[in-house]
Structure formats: structure tokens, C-alpha cells
Amino acid sequence: MSFTHTQQAVPAALDADGNPLTSPAELADDVIKLVRRWLTEASDYPVDAAAARLAGVLKDPKGLDFTVGFVDGVIRPEDLKVAAANLKQLAPMVPGFLPWYMRKAVAVGGALAPVMPQVVVPIARRVLREMVGHLIIDASDAKLGGAISKIKREGVHLNVNLLGEAILGEGEAARRLDGTTKLLERDDVDYVSIKVSSTVAPHNHWAFDEAVEHIVQKLQPLYQLAASSPKKKFINLDMEEYKDLELTIAVFTKILSKPEFKELPAGIVLQAYLPDALGAMIQLQEFSAARVADGGAPIKVRVVKGANLPMETMEADIHGWPLATWHTKQDSDTSYKSVLEYALRPEHVENI
């Protein structure tokens, strides 16, 4: 389970006619001053040791391959012998940034794992969990409550996301949806994120309308729970793969078009590394403008630069398709800013 902190954006100053008082170019000096002040103030806070260690690992040339390989090959397998064999293969890739004793422990663990998997693998898993403990918390009832109370504070919303891989069948889809439902039923959880791809089994892309209707039926009870809670709860509909963009928007707008959800605030995610991002934001803006004009609640759009580039690249390579994302970071940054510029226009901020 992962979590994110969310805070409200600060609107720009406007004149009597609703026009910005300053141009973007004129804001540059103020932005530089503000960021410098943030950095100065942040330097007074102690750095979390686990966060610093993880940042160092990811900066190491071998760090990402080691971390992903550890999660996929050592943490995930249920068979300890399989995990042990993978740990042995990963041991030579241990990042140099780690303290000497941790590098030594990985080397020794890799050598001993095939012989003593029942002893070595649980220890190795525990060490990695400690490294990412500030990002991931245990979703079990015994540990979740204490972790939430420790993280939550005034003015900060906790967005809880039940982690897991893509769903392959109806049984796993039902379990994942049940897990999110149980989270939302908790008194200390008021904000969850889910993905269409993690709550329903793979659908037929040629039967788009049928897929939308099926997913709406699956997710509707979750939104009913959010709307019927003493204090309305918030659901964020995430999207990772390009193939799910139109499907996710269609499901989101269809659910929120139902009269019972007219006054329920809800959110959706857009990824700016997709060339379709601005068009999608315009579509959502028009939907929300009509909803607000009819007395409904505004919607929230979470804009990210992109979260699934390796998978998109692999899909394009395997099938011989054009890459679905922008090809450069500069293009993605430009797209990100164009989406924000459109979204933050005075006539739009009341709707989204």
C-alpha cells in the first residue's frame, strides 16, 4: 500500500477583469526567490535516513535494476527457493552507495540463500522493507491504523493506494476491489486511489461500450460508499497505460453523471507525457463545467508527467507500434505546462 500527501494549489493574483496581474516571464525572479526560500527552510529539517538511502540507491547506475530486480525476484515470489535463486543472481549488482555492512550482508545472503532460503530470504525482505518504509505501509488491520495516525496531520490529506500488479482474472479483481472497499470503510481513511486495470479482469478492447458498462457496475458500489459516509469520502481514479486513457475517462464521467453522485467530489489522473493529455483535460473541463452549472460538485484532476514509460516503450517495440508517449522529456514538460496553463485559467478553476 502506498500513500501520497495532497495540498491545495495557490491561485494566481487577478485584476478586476479576471486577467493575471503578471505575465509568466515576469514571475521568473519571484519563482527563483520562492524556491530558494523553500530549499533554505528545508535544510533545517533532519533527513530521513531511509529516504536518503533509497535516493542514493536510485542515483547509482546499478540502483534501479537492483531495486526492481529485488522487488520482482525476491519480495514477490511465494516460493522461497525461487526468491533465494534470484537473490544469488542479484548479489553482484548491489549498489555501491549502500553502507559497507549492507553490501557485505547482500553478498553473504546471496551466497547462503540457495542453501538456507528459509532463513536468508525473510531477513533480506525485511531489510528492503525498512528501506522503503517511508513510502509503503502494511495494509493489515494490526498495523495500518498506527501508521495512518502517525502520518496524518492537520491540513494534509492521505491518499491511500492498495498496491498490486495488473489483474489477470475475475477472482483477483474481486479481491482487489474488496480490499479497496475495506480501506474506504475505515474511519481513518477518507481518500483512496484505484485503477480500472486493477479492479476488473482484462476486457475486450473491441467492445468498448460493454467494457465501460461492466466497469461502472463494478466500481459503482465503491462510489456509493464514499457518497453515503457521514463525511463524504474521496476516490481518485488512476490511469497508467495509454490503452486505458479513453476507457478511464468514459468510466469516470459515466459514474459521476448518475444523479446519486451529483454532489460527490471525485478525481481522475492525467499523464502529461501523453500527447492526448491537453485534449483529455479540455474534455474533463467541459464535463465538469456542465456538472457545476447544474449544481453539481467540481472534480479534481491530478496531473503527473508520466509513470509507465518502460511499459509503453516495450509495448510499442513488441507490436511495432509508434510510441504512445512524447519522445523527449522536454516535450513532456511542455505538455505538462500546457495542461496546467489551460486548467488554471480563471474561468476553469471553479470546475476543476
Side-chain angles (χ1 to χ4, degrees):
M1 176 187 304
S2 71
F3 55 86
T4 55
H5 297 142
T6 60
Q7 293 176 311
Q8 297 299 314
V10 179
L14 308 174
D15 62 21
D17 297 322
N19 299 312
L21 292 175
T22 54
S23 69
E26 293 172 321
L27 291 173
D29 289 341
D30 289 340
V31 169
I32 292 172
K33 290 179 183 177
L34 179 60
V35 172
R36 282 177 175 161
R37 179 168 67 82
W38 285 343
L39 292 174
T40 300
E41 293 179 1
S43 66
D44 294 333
Y45 287 86
V47 178
D48 180 82
R53 191 180 301 124
L54 182 63
V57 167
L58 295 180
K59 287 178 183 176
D60 189 288
K62 301 178 182 177
L64 184 58
D65 288 341
F66 176 81
T67 305
V68 172
F70 203 104
V71 172
D72 286 343
V74 182
I75 297 289
R76 183 171 299 142
E78 296 180 8
D79 190 318
L80 293 181
K81 292 181 180 179
V82 172
N86 291 333
L87 180 58
K88 181 179 180 180
Q89 290 183 338
L90 282 170
M93 298 170 53
V94 61
F97 176 83
L98 289 177
W100 68 268
Y101 57 87
M102 291 191 72
R103 297 199 304 272
K104 189 70 174 176
V106 172
V108 173
L112 295 178
V115 182
M116 306 169 61
Q118 292 85 357
V119 176
V120 175
V121 171
I123 294 174
R125 288 173 172 174
R126 187 165 63 246
V127 170
L128 187 73
R129 285 180 184 276
E130 290 175 0
M131 287 179 59
V132 298
H134 60 297
L135 299 175
I136 300 173
I137 56 179
D138 193 327
S140 63
D141 290 337
K143 297 183 179 180
L144 182 56
I148 289 177
S149 63
K150 181 179 178 181
I151 297 164
K152 259 189 173 179
R153 59 183 184 273
E154 190 67 28
V156 175
H157 295 289
L158 201 59
N159 176 5
V160 184
N161 178 15
L162 192 64
L163 293 180
E165 298 310 300
I167 295 300
L168 299 179
E170 291 291 350
E172 178 60 25
R175 284 193 292 273
R176 188 72 57 80
L177 196 56
D178 181 62
T180 303
T181 300
K182 288 179 178 177
L183 285 175
L184 207 56
E185 287 173 340
R186 295 178 62 101
D187 292 337
D188 53 2
V189 173
D190 58 10
Y191 190 138
V192 298
S193 283
I194 54 172
K195 293 190 296 286
V196 164
S197 60
S198 67
T199 50
V200 294
H203 51 274
N204 186 343
H205 292 285
W206 297 105
F208 183 83
D209 293 339
E210 180 180 312
V212 169
E213 189 60 41
H214 173 68
I215 296 167
V216 167
Q217 290 177 4
K218 290 286 187 178
L219 293 180
Q220 188 167 327
L222 209 59
Y223 283 83
Q224 289 170 335
L225 176 58
S228 63
S229 297
K231 182 181 178 182
K232 288 186 175 67
K233 300 193 175 188
F234 196 92
I235 297 175
N236 212 57
L237 201 57
D238 279 352
M239 188 278 298
E240 285 190 353
E241 295 187 63
Y242 171 71
K243 65 182 178 63
D244 291 329
L245 173 62
E246 293 296 334
L247 182 69
T248 302
I249 293 175
V251 168
F252 179 75
T253 53
K254 184 154 189 173
I255 288 178
L256 292 192
S257 295
K258 295 181 178 293
E260 62 186 302
F261 303 130
K262 181 178 179 180
E263 298 179 2
L264 178 68
I268 190 171
V269 171
L270 285 184
Q271 302 195 93
Y273 73 168
L274 297 177
D276 312 63
L278 180 57
M281 176 62 88
I282 293 172
Q283 179 183 347
L284 290 166
Q285 172 65 229
E286 292 172 350
F287 165 78
S288 190
R291 174 176 154 97
V292 170
D294 192 38
I299 67 171
K300 174 181 176 180
V301 177
R302 176 169 164 240
V303 184
V304 299
K305 289 190 178 178
N308 210 39
L309 184 58
M311 180 61 76
E312 296 289 3
T313 304
M314 185 190 72
E315 285 280 342
D317 287 345
I318 289 176
H319 298 287
W321 296 336
L323 185 61
T325 69
W326 289 113
H327 291 204
T328 69
K329 183 179 186 304
Q330 182 175 352
D331 287 338
S332 295
D333 289 348
T334 301
S335 173
Y336 183 81
K337 291 175 181 177
S338 69
V339 169
L340 291 183
E341 188 280 327
Y342 174 82
L344 296 176
R345 292 176 187 175
E347 66 270 26
H348 293 163
V349 293
E350 291 186 0
N351 307 318
I352 294 184

